[in-house]
Amino acid sequence: MPDASEDAVPETRADAPRGRAPSIRDVARLAGVSHQTVSRVLNDHPSLRPETRDRVLQVMEQLQYRPNRAARALVTSRSRTFGILSASSTQYGPASSIAAIESAARRSGYWVSTANIDSSDPRSIPDGLAHLAAQGIEGLVVIAPQERVFDTLQELSIDVPYVTLQSTERDPEHGLSVDQIAGARMATRHLIERGHRSIYHLAGPQDWIEAEARMRGFLDEMGAQDVPTTAPILGDWTAEFGYHAGRELLSVRDFTAIFSSNDQMALGLMHAVRAEGLDVPGDVSIIGFDDIPEAAHFWPPLTTVRQDFAEIGRRCVDLLLGAAGHADARPGGDDEDRPSTIEPELIVRGSVGPPSF
C-alpha cells in the first residue's frame, strides 16, 4: 500500500542541508515523503508509484545523496559488494580485468573487494575466500593463472554465484574468458600470411593457463598451415626475459619472425634486435599479445592481439547479477544465451613485414 506521505509537496532546493553530507531524512523532507518511502526507493520496492520514485530520485540527485552502504547492508542484508579472488593482480591482463570489473560493478551500484592470494600456497585460497565471505559478498570472481588454484577451489564450498576468468575446462559452467587459442592462431596466421615460415614462439610460464592456451594456438595454426615448428621457449612475461632470449636467438638467427605471448616480452625482443644492429621489421618481425597501452608507442608500433577487458567486466557483472536473480541484472536473455568466450582482435601496426631471407 502506497505511503500516505507520497502526495506531499516537496520543499525547495534552498531548504537542503548545508555544511554536512545529506541524510535519508533530508531527502525525505525535501521530497515531501517519509523516510520509509525513501528507503523503499533505495531498495526498489514494487509498491511505489512511478511519480513518487522519480521525485525521490530527483531530490537525491539535487542533494548528491549517497546511501550509507554499511547501514543499508544492516537493513537489507545485502552488501552490494562483489569479491575478487586474484592470484596475479600485478600482471597487465589480470589487473585490467579487475579494473574493468570494478567499473562495471560501480555502474550497477556495486562495489568490489579484492583478496590477493599466493597461488603457490594452497592455504591462502580458503583464507582469501573467508576474508571475502566476512564482508558479505553477493558474488565472486576468480582470477587465477594456475590450474592448481582451480584444483583447490573444487575442494571448497562456494555458496555465492561465481565466475572464473581463465580459459580452463575445469569449471566450464562458471567460466568466462577471451579466446586465447583463437588469438594465438590469429597472430600466427598473420605472420604466415606475410610469408614467414621460420617462426619462433616465446611462451609464458609453463604453469599459466593463458600461456598454455596461447602456445596451443600457435602450434595448432602452424600445423594447420603445414609450417615446421621448433619447441616454444618458456618465458616469464617480463621484458628482461624477452631481451635475453632475443640475444640468444639472434646468435643463431635461423628465424624471420617471433610470436611473443605478451607485449612486455615483445618489447624486450625488440630491444635485443636493435642491440644487434638489426631492424624490426626489416630483419625480424615481432608480434605480441594483450595490446598494452604502450604497445602503440613502441618503435616500431607493435602488432598485437587485443583483449576487450571492458567487455570482460561488463559480461562478468551481468553474469553475477543474473545468477543471483537480482533486479539489477540487465535484460538481454538468459545467462545460457551469452557465450562464455569473448573474441580477441588483431591490431596490425608496424612490427611485422615480409621475411628478410
Side-chain angles (χ1 to χ4, degrees), residues 187 190-191 258-260 266 285-289 302-304 346 351-352:
H190 181 66
L191 293 174
I258 302 177
F259 164 39
S260 172
S285 288
I286 295 174
I287 190 168
F289 203 109
L302 183 65
T303 294
T304 185
L346 179 68
S351 65
V352 175

Side-chain angles (χ1 to χ4, degrees), residues 43-60:
N43 296 309
D44 201 22
H45 199 281
S47 71
L48 289 168
R49 291 198 293 264
E51 57 270 23
T52 301
R53 187 187 313 276
D54 292 344
R55 187 164 77 238
V56 171
L57 291 173
Q58 183 179 9
V59 170
M60 287 180 183

Side-chain angles (χ1 to χ4, degrees), residues 189-199 256 353-355 357:
R189 189 181 312 122
H190 181 66
L191 293 174
I192 295 171
E193 288 174 347
R194 294 304 305 269
H196 294 278
R197 306 285 294 180
S198 301
I199 306 170
T256 61
F357 60 85

Side-chain angles (χ1 to χ4, degrees), residues 177-191:
S177 66
V178 173
D179 192 334
Q180 307 290 324
I181 294 176
R185 295 195 67 157
M186 198 180 293
T188 308
R189 189 181 312 122
H190 181 66
L191 293 174

Side-chain angles (χ1 to χ4, degrees), residues 328-347:
D328 312 76
R330 292 189 296 177
D334 297 331
D335 293 337
E336 301 138 2
D337 298 329
R338 299 187 181 105
S340 60
T341 56
I342 298 169
E343 291 300 312
E345 178 186 4
L346 179 68
I347 306 299

Side-chain angles (χ1 to χ4, degrees), residues 271-282:
H271 181 191
V273 173
R274 297 285 188 189
E276 289 293 320
L278 300 174
D279 178 66
V280 177

